């Protein structure tokens, strides 16, 4: 995750490639219940930060860095798309009961698509960061960009060129990656 960007615009072809890759993500029942709000004009990006932050609050270093990104993508998920897809004859859950879902696959799939945007950035030598939109700013974000009520933003992704003087940032600077021995349970959880 890159949280501070070079002052270089991002070619629209890159953004399009990232989005093309995003929609190759797997999705439950091939529901494809995702959508992407793309903000790549300076005024739109400025509006994004305006509505997702608290007026009058001085930006911290995280926000100052993130605000240098020329592109913000807001991946969204549609629960309705999944309930409707799984009510189709080949699935048959015509009651559209949400309790049938072990986890919200609509959010999972939008997250998988988001990962492909992040990986496209890596592939192209650019930088990106997935982050959350604070719940208290969600309504203002919806209002500012006309996000319909039946889709939910799952977060946001900044995109931009990496700085020459880039430094490591975020939690990995203070926390160690957990070893596989702690995380992998082969055959059985406990020995
Ligand atoms: C669901 C999710 C939410 C995240 N939210 C934020 C965030 O709000 N701000 C941020 O700077 N990074 C955020 N991150 C990035 C993580 O901090 C980052 O992935 C983690 O520290 C590991 O670093 P790396 O991805 O650079 O290896 C988020 C990542 C995920 C997957």
């Amino acid at each position: 995750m890159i949280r501070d960007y070079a002052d270089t615009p991002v070619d629209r072809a890159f953004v399009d490639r990232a989005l093309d890759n995003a929609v190759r993500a797997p999705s439950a029942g091939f529901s494809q219940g995702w959508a992407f709000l793309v903000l790549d004009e300076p005024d739109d990006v400025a509006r994004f930060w305006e509505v997702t932050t608290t007026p009058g609050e001085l930006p911290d270093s995280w926000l100052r860095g993130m605000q240098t990104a020329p592109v913000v993508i807001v991946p969204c998920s549609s629960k309705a798309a999944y309930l409707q897809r799984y009510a189709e004859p080949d699935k048959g859950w015509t009651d559209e009961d949400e309790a049938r879902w072990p986890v919200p696959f609509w959010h999972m799939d939008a997250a998988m698509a988001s990962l492909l945007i992040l990986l496209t950035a890596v592939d192209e030598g650019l930088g990106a960061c997935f982050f959350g939109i604070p719940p208290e700013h969600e309504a203002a974000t919806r209002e500012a960009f006309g996000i319909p009520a039946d889709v939910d933003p799952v977060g946001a992704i900044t995109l931009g060129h990496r700085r020459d003087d880039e430094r490591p940032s975020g939690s990995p600077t203070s926390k160690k990656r957990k070893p596989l021995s702690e995380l992998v349970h082969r055959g059985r959880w406990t020995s």
Side-chain angles (χ1 to χ4, degrees):
M1 301 289 175
I2 301 298
R3 300 177 176 84
D4 197 5
Y5 299 88
D7 187 18
T8 316
V10 169
D11 197 328
R12 181 161 280 193
F14 164 75
V15 178
D16 290 345
R17 181 168 177 235
L19 294 165
D20 267 347
N21 287 342
V23 299
R24 303 307 295 265
S27 67
F30 204 31
S31 303
Q32 305 168 78
W34 45 47
F36 308 87
L37 172 72
V38 178
L39 308 174
D40 54 2
E41 294 291 340
D43 285 353
D44 291 334
V45 173
R47 183 106 182 91
F48 174 83
W49 292 114
E50 197 184 304
V51 296
T52 55
T53 53
T54 306
E57 215 167 82
L58 283 179
D60 59 11
S61 64
W62 180 87
L63 185 54
R64 282 198 302 275
M66 292 290 269
Q67 284 179 326
T68 60
V71 179
V72 176
I73 298 177
V74 179
C76 297
S77 69
S78 164
K79 178 167 69 181
Y82 289 75
L83 299 184
Q84 285 160 20
R85 166 69 188 102
Y86 276 71
E88 287 175 19
D90 62 324
K91 300 290 186 189
W93 294 353
T94 49
D95 56 13
E96 298 193 16
D97 186 352
E98 229 182 288
R100 290 181 175 280
W101 296 83
V103 292
F105 281 176
W106 36 96
H107 295 327
M108 278 188 60
D109 292 352
M112 294 206 195
S114 299
L115 180 59
L116 292 182
I117 293 175
L118 299 174
L119 290 179
T120 308
V122 173
D123 208 29
E124 301 256 349
L126 275 77
C129 182
F130 184 98
F131 60 105
I133 297 175
E136 66 273 24
H137 296 303
E138 187 185 317
T141 309
R142 285 181 180 277
E143 169 71 21
F145 298 108
I147 300 172
D150 62 349
V151 302
D152 294 309
V154 297
I157 301 171
T158 45
L159 272 178
H161 287 275
R162 301 171 77 136
R163 294 170 57 99
D164 291 337
D165 59 351
E166 175 185 306
R167 277 179 300 167
S169 71
S171 302
T173 58
S174 57
K175 296 178 87 69
K176 281 197 163 50
R177 190 174 300 277
K178 292 183 182 179
L180 284 184
S181 57
E182 219 178 275
L183 306 170
V184 177
H185 307 276
R186 214 160 243 133
R188 189 182 151 76
W189 199 275
T190 49
S191 50

